[in-house]
Amino acid sequence: MSWILLTNDDGVDSPALVPFMAALERLGEVRTVVPDGQRSWIGKALTRFDPIEVAEVDRAGKTIVTVSGTPADAVQVAAAYFDTPPDLVVAGINLGYNHGAGYIVSSGTVGACFEGWELGIPAFGFSAGIRGTWIEWYRHMHTEEAVPVWMRLAELCTEIVEDLLAVEAPGDVVSVNVPWEADLTTPRRVVPPARVTYHQLLHRQPDGTFAFRYQEQFGGVPLEGTDVGVNRAGEVAITPLCAPTSPPVAEHLIARLERRRL
């Protein structure tokens, strides 16, 4: 392996970034290209019409390349910025779970992985989360007390990368969700995503504008045996994902929908 690209959607100042860089280095050379700021919930968006600014910054004695665009932009830039493209894209560790179908398709972390797929590069995404009050946890994850946890999770995620590399990884990309309390002994399960959505996110304000307000809503959808259910049980969820494809279509529907040349 020539080198591993590490990226994320939480930006250059994510508390998970430097610990993950350090842990991954035991697998080979790691080069890091990330957005210059927070770019969550942006999916696989690409910057098409504006120029992307690139800079090199230092974090904990390590050089990190930043881009003014999206996580998917970071993957595209990385493939052209260096002498050779990466052999592997690793995204994360995301600040919050990316489990459940609605969240997966919106995730900048997963979007970066699918940009790797677009370039023919294997890609694995990692996210960490909790059950509970996300805002309180978000404040905690940036504190000094959280540093040992990020180091522990980085070691766990690196071990999973190593295991995925040792086999023919299933799917086009792999998304891994780890509980905040997980370690190397935590059970892991290979499961599909729960078919859940996040419902209404944008709400009208008194001044007529709309503002983002999120409240987790998983009610009424079977969760057992899915990524959400596994995480709620305190276990690691490994979820293979495929680029858009089609389900089987019944013959009577094909007969109704198709029109063929005479």
Side-chain angles (χ1 to χ4, degrees):
M1 178 178 297
S2 61
W3 62 281
I4 299 167
L5 168 63
L6 176 62
T7 191
N8 69 13
D9 71 0
D10 291 301
V12 65
D13 291 315
S14 165
L17 187 59
V18 171
F20 205 10
M21 290 172 62
L24 284 169
E25 283 174 347
R26 71 177 176 83
L27 303 183
E29 182 182 4
V30 178
R31 300 174 184 175
T32 303
V33 183
V34 295
D36 58 12
Q38 175 62 251
R39 302 289 192 279
S40 293
W41 290 78
I42 205 165
K44 204 180 79 62
L46 289 166
T47 302
R48 182 178 178 188
F49 298 108
D50 297 321
I52 297 173
E53 297 179 5
V54 179
E56 292 188 3
V57 301
D58 179 273
R59 292 293 184 275
K62 299 180 182 295
T63 299
I64 297 174
V65 178
T66 66
V67 300
S68 59
T70 69
D73 289 333
V75 176
Q76 285 281 344
V77 167
Y81 188 79
F82 301 100
D83 293 338
T84 61
D87 293 311
L88 175 69
V89 174
V90 176
I93 304 168
N94 190 68
L95 310 186
Y97 282 133
N98 280 309
H99 58 198
Y103 305 84
I104 288 170
V105 299
S106 303
S107 164
T109 302
V110 178
C113 290
F114 274 109
E115 201 60 33
W117 172 81
E118 297 274 9
L119 295 171
I121 305 169
F124 312 140
F126 293 86
S127 307
I130 63 162
R131 286 196 68 186
T133 305
W134 192 88
I135 293 297
E136 292 180 6
W137 176 62
Y138 189 81
R139 295 192 188 103
H140 170 70
M141 71 176 76
H142 289 270
T143 65
E144 287 295 321
E145 290 76 14
V147 171
V149 182
W150 286 122
M151 295 174 66
R152 166 168 48 80
L153 293 179
E155 289 297 330
L156 169 60
C157 293
T158 298
E159 182 176 277
I160 295 172
V161 170
E162 191 170 26
D163 288 341
L164 287 167
L165 290 173
V167 299
E168 185 176 348
D172 295 319
V173 306
V174 179
S175 176
V176 180
N177 283 276
V178 301
W180 183 241
E181 65 276 9
D183 59 26
L184 295 175
T185 69
T186 302
R188 309 178 199 166
R189 295 181 60 190
V190 179
V191 288
R195 291 184 63 81
V196 297
T197 77
Y198 42 71
H199 303 289
Q200 186 70 39
L201 287 177
L202 298 178
H203 299 267
R204 188 186 297 273
Q205 305 303 296
D207 63 359
T209 61
F210 281 75
F212 184 99
R213 187 171 71 248
Y214 166 66
Q215 182 175 355
E216 187 175 277
Q217 300 180 55
F218 290 154
V221 177
L223 300 179
E224 186 175 355
T226 70
D227 54 359
V228 176
V230 164
N231 287 150
R232 287 192 168 190
E235 299 177 343
V236 174
I238 300 174
T239 303
L241 300 170
C242 291
T245 185
S246 295
V249 181
E251 288 296 329
H252 73 279
L253 293 177
I254 294 174
R256 177 63 184 262
L257 295 172
E258 287 190 344
R259 293 292 184 271
R260 296 175 182 261
R261 291 184 184 275
L262 299 177

